[in-house]
Amino acid sequence: MHSYPEFIEDIKECFLKFIEKYNFQLSYSNNAKATLSNSYYGIEFNMDRMELDILVRVRGELFRLMDVLYFLKPEIDWDNEYKIIYKNIKYDSRKVLEQKTFSGPFMRQLSTYAILIDEHLNTLFEGDNNWVVRLNKKYLYEKKVRGFIWDFPPGHELYYLRNSGRFWLENVIEYCNNNNIDLPIED
């Protein structure tokens, strides 16, 4: 982790609304990992090699923030939305290293994620968590399909489709349907 001593303070500033509204407590072990949580929910922040990863904790289980957004809000064109988000979170690593601070670019990234959570997941921390079982079921099915794909010879089209981005599962299902290949049954 590169030096980002403002990380904890930037989290406090960007997520103050959540801290107050949901009685979140901030805990951290260093300037690279922090958690906002109460007895039921949490938001984990991990900074590693100039990459910020945000996880949401619900019922003791961790989910990547963007996975939750994709799953709960499929009606949003996230590819387009993400381009807008990315404009707010990209940074020039050379400038960051010259300035020896991450506060500017990552402050924008933290505040962008805070806005995303507030706008699209505002009920998440108020007890709306029926989706947890459905998302876990989706993860298990994806794992089953990935295992199924490994049974095909290397170089098969399915090998390439499993790495076709966020919509890989839909691409695999379409390919199998078009080529009369039976997929594993969803549990």
Side-chain angles (χ1 to χ4, degrees):
M1 165 53 200
H2 299 281
S3 179
Y4 178 18
E6 305 93 347
F7 187 49
I8 304 305
E9 291 305 314
D10 287 354
I11 290 170
K12 285 181 193 173
E13 186 174 331
C14 293
F15 286 83
L16 181 63
K17 179 179 182 176
F18 298 94
I19 292 169
E20 292 173 348
K21 185 172 182 180
Y22 302 110
N23 198 26
F24 279 154
Q25 300 299 313
L26 178 64
S27 59
Y28 54 93
S29 53
N30 55 43
N31 282 336
K33 184 174 177 141
T35 303
L36 288 174
S37 62
N38 60 25
S39 332
Y40 307 102
Y41 305 101
I43 304 171
E44 290 193 12
F45 306 86
N46 297 302
M47 175 69 72
D48 185 30
R49 287 172 267 178
M50 297 174 63
E51 294 291 327
L52 176 63
D53 192 26
I54 297 185
L55 304 166
V56 176
R57 182 177 53 81
V58 177
R59 292 194 205 161
E61 296 187 59
L62 288 173
F63 301 93
R64 293 188 70 229
L65 173 64
M66 292 310 293
D67 286 350
V68 175
L69 286 167
Y70 296 150
F71 185 73
L72 292 179
K73 300 291 182 172
E75 70 278 5
I76 295 175
D77 180 3
W78 286 110
D79 292 332
N80 233 0
E81 187 77 13
Y82 197 76
K83 287 176 188 169
I84 295 164
I85 295 165
Y86 186 73
K87 285 180 185 175
N88 284 335
I89 64 175
K90 73 178 181 178
Y91 56 88
D92 182 342
S93 59
R94 291 170 307 209
K95 282 184 183 177
V96 167
L97 292 173
E98 286 168 12
Q99 297 168 355
K100 296 185 174 36
T101 181
F102 292 83
S103 191
F106 288 112
M107 179 71 150
R108 281 195 311 276
Q109 191 172 1
L110 286 166
S111 62
T112 300
Y113 283 127
I115 291 166
L116 280 174
I117 292 169
D118 191 42
E119 287 180 358
H120 301 294
L121 300 177
N122 54 359
T123 61
L124 184 76
F125 303 116
E126 295 169 357
D128 175 17
N129 54 26
N130 335 347
W131 57 271
V132 171
V133 171
R134 293 191 328 268
L135 184 54
N136 275 330
K137 196 172 181 180
K138 180 180 185 270
Y139 284 161
L140 287 172
Y141 185 65
E142 287 175 353
K143 185 176 179 178
K144 189 186 268 191
V145 171
R146 278 197 173 97
F148 168 77
I149 290 171
W150 284 109
D151 290 339
F152 285 84
H156 192 279
E157 181 69 20
L158 285 173
Y159 265 67
Y160 302 111
L161 290 176
R162 79 170 196 271
N163 294 321
S164 61
R166 191 162 61 83
F167 297 106
W168 75 269
L169 183 60
E170 290 85 350
N171 295 338
V172 166
I173 291 170
E174 181 181 351
Y175 178 85
C176 288
N177 287 340
N178 292 341
N179 291 284
N180 297 318
I181 298 172
D182 292 331
L183 279 165
I185 296 172
E186 198 168 349
D187 294 328

